[in-house]
Amino acid sequence: MSRRGFSTRQVHQGVAVSVPASATGSAPTARVTPIYLTAGFEFDEYAAAGAHFGAGEGYAYTRIGNPTIDAVEHTLAALEGGSQALLLASGQAATTVALLALVEAGGHIVSSTHIYEGTRGLLRDNIARLGIDTTFVDAIDDVDAWEAAIRPETRALFAESISNATNRLLDIPAIAEVARRHGIPLVIDNTFATPYLLRPIELGADVVVHSASKFLAGHGSVLGGAIVDSGRFDAERSGALYPHLVAPGRGPGGVPGPSIAERTGGDARIAYARESVAPRFGPTPSPLNAFLIGQGIETLSLRVERQSANALAVAQWLAARPEVASVDYAGLPAHRDHALAVRDLAAGFGSVFTFTLRGDADTAQRFVEALEVFTHMTHLGDVRSLVLHPATTSHAFLTDAERRALGVEPGTLRVSIGIEDVADLLGDLSAALDVAVDAPVAVVA
Ligand SMILES: *Cc1c(COP(=O)(O)O)cnc(C)c1O
């Protein structure tokens, strides 16, 4: 199955999940894994309870496992080219669980500066309070800067494949090589690219995280997150850095048992995330949300293809308008990472980017208020086109200098381009530019 094309896998991979016999009985087999909206599962036989708690067999409680959630995980692992996936309640939960499966108090993370503001806050404010330091690398294309930031206690490198706000791209093979040399994984947030456009694991990364709330679901109706692991954890090479993965486990009766690495081999990282971090911290997705994410994934390639084509047309159109000072879209030849985009994004350049209007924050406000097809909201990857003013929303709590360093000016707007007819998007933008630029400047007394 995994050798078939992406669009075939996105609709056929999810059904290869075994469901409890008692749930299907002799009933016809459902073509789509049903919504097992249940907190738990009955033990068919007395011994099944012991087998579940002992060897992890079968389903017992949805925080530990659920067939609807499993089906989506199966699909995601196949689409990302990973060995296993873990679905969580949100993208933030996915990043948190992925990192806490690797690093503990006294540890250190090296992260790109150019990441989702929620993740920056997580690293800077929350993970820091657990005694885990993060060094932010601003020059993400400088391999030496990544190398120089690594300390003996570094346990993960973190970056986004395509980043907010200026569409910076990471040279994944180059930074994965640095990570490999140090025996630590490169963790990539692949939300903006999706596995349809880019598969970090195939380029050398070891852990992928997603906000499934965005493109994977696509319909904008649920939150979700996912971790996908390469399955390439090497206990011999990296065991000393990750003692929790190689330390003896506890067997029945409390006697020492095999370590996670001995039990699960190259899957030790995601097995630890699944068995220990996720169920203890508890960000379990609802089976209903998992089902809706699974439904979304079945049309991922069609949406992303259309969204990318629309986005390229919109970016080209904006770049040619005199009212627009700059467009930060990796698909445009003028973008600093365009060569990398051409190398790594063969199927399209994505559909989330920023552009900056000539004018100030009031110009941006008039523009947003004049749009009719675009929805003004904080979300992305939706089938609908969306617009947001970063300086007063996602990046409001930064200083002007910090904002400028991230490419967020008073006139900067972020768009997420949907699947609408592109002529309607251009018409809407054109009308809003006319209003925003022609409106009289407010008289200041
Ligand atoms: C939205 C987003 C997140 C956080 O995901 P949630 O599902 O909102 O928790 C993380 N990374 C990126 C790149 C995002 O766009």
Side-chain angles (χ1 to χ4, degrees):
M1 183 64 88
S2 66
R3 263 168 305 164
R4 293 193 179 150
F6 189 95
S7 296
T8 307
R9 282 182 280 139
Q10 76 187 354
V11 292
H12 284 283
Q13 198 81 36
V15 295
V17 163
S18 62
V19 296
S22 59
T24 54
S26 57
T29 305
R31 181 64 185 83
V32 174
T33 305
I35 308 168
Y36 286 91
L37 197 58
T38 177
F41 300 84
E42 188 174 340
F43 296 117
D44 288 339
E45 294 162 17
Y46 186 79
H52 175 78
F53 279 84
E57 283 171 18
Y59 294 103
Y61 191 57
T62 283
R63 178 155 48 72
I64 314 297
N66 177 291
T68 310
I69 296 170
D70 282 3
V72 179
E73 291 176 345
H74 202 77
T75 309
L76 267 176
L79 295 184
E80 279 287 4
S83 74
Q84 283 190 28
L86 177 62
L87 199 70
L88 294 149
S90 69
Q92 289 298 97
T95 304
T96 304
V97 170
L99 292 175
L100 293 184
L102 297 170
V103 61
E104 62 194 23
H108 175 246
I109 296 166
V110 178
S111 170
S112 160
T113 304
H114 307 272
I115 56 173
Y116 180 68
E117 272 303 300
T119 310
R120 259 169 40 107
L122 172 72
L123 293 167
R124 195 189 50 215
D125 303 333
N126 307 92
I127 288 194
R129 289 189 64 235
L130 304 179
I132 299 162
D133 257 8
T134 300
T135 300
F136 290 98
V137 175
D138 188 45
I140 62 168
D141 48 359
D142 182 350
V143 176
D144 295 336
W146 284 90
E147 180 85 52
I150 294 174
R151 305 178 190 162
E153 61 274 19
T154 304
R155 294 295 176 266
L157 306 187
F158 183 88
E160 293 176 0
S161 49
I162 304 177
S163 75
N164 200 18
T166 56
N167 253 217
R168 294 304 308 272
L169 264 55
L170 187 78
D171 187 342
I172 294 175
I175 306 305
E177 173 55 30
V178 174
R180 194 162 28 248
R181 228 181 304 119
H182 289 268
I184 57 182
L186 172 62
V187 181
I188 295 290
D189 182 335
N190 199 30
T191 300
F192 275 37
T194 84
Y196 179 62
L197 298 181
L198 185 120
R199 289 173 292 283
I201 288 171
E202 291 176 3
L203 296 178
D206 273 308
V207 181
V208 169
V209 296
H210 275 283
S211 168
S213 325
K214 314 290 173 53
F215 291 95
L216 296 180
H219 33 59
S221 53
V222 296
L223 298 192
I227 304 172
V228 186
D229 196 282
S230 68
R232 297 190 292 240
F233 177 72
D234 182 345
E236 213 161 293
R237 168 121 173 69
S238 302
L241 299 179
Y242 303 94
H244 57 294
L245 302 182
V246 296
R250 261 169 97 84
V255 301
S259 69
I260 291 230
E262 284 165 343
R263 276 196 292 113
T264 66
D267 284 326
R269 282 181 302 243
I270 195 154
Y272 186 80
R274 185 191 306 283
E275 295 174 15
S276 188
V277 185
R280 295 265 169 74
F281 285 86
T284 312
S286 162
L288 174 60
N289 287 5
F291 177 84
L292 291 169
I293 291 164
Q295 291 289 289
I297 290 172
E298 294 190 347
T299 57
L300 179 67
S301 66
L302 306 183
R303 286 182 283 109
V304 172
E305 192 173 21
R306 173 68 168 258
Q307 286 164 317
S308 293
N310 279 358
L312 181 60
V314 169
Q316 286 168 337
W317 183 89
L318 285 169
R321 292 286 303 216
E323 302 92 333
V324 175
S326 61
V327 181
D328 287 305
Y329 183 58
L332 297 181
H335 190 278
R336 62 197 290 187
D337 292 331
H338 183 64
L340 211 51
V342 169
R343 187 192 76 184
D344 290 347
L345 297 169
F349 299 110
S351 52
V352 183
F353 65 93
T354 54
F355 65 94
T356 301
L357 294 173
R358 291 190 200 286
D360 54 14
D362 292 338
T363 315
Q365 178 177 346
R366 284 196 300 271
F367 179 80
V368 169
E369 287 175 345
L371 288 168
E372 289 178 356
V373 179
F374 281 73
T375 305
H376 179 207
M377 70 183 282
T378 171
H379 184 48
L380 56 91
D382 199 298
V383 288
R384 287 155 283 260
S385 291
L386 314 175
V387 63
L388 188 72
H389 183 242
T392 50
T393 57
S394 55
H395 295 64
F397 292 95
L398 301 182
T399 65
D400 285 347
E402 285 172 324
R403 273 197 288 269
R404 198 157 304 123
L406 294 171
V408 174
E409 303 286 339
T412 299
L413 293 161
R414 186 187 75 190
V415 285
S416 174
I417 303 298
I419 64 168
E420 299 97 332
D421 294 289
V422 72
D424 292 327
L425 299 178
L426 299 182
D428 199 33
L429 293 166
S430 181
L433 281 180
D434 289 346
V435 170
V437 176
D438 287 345
V441 177
V443 179
V444 181

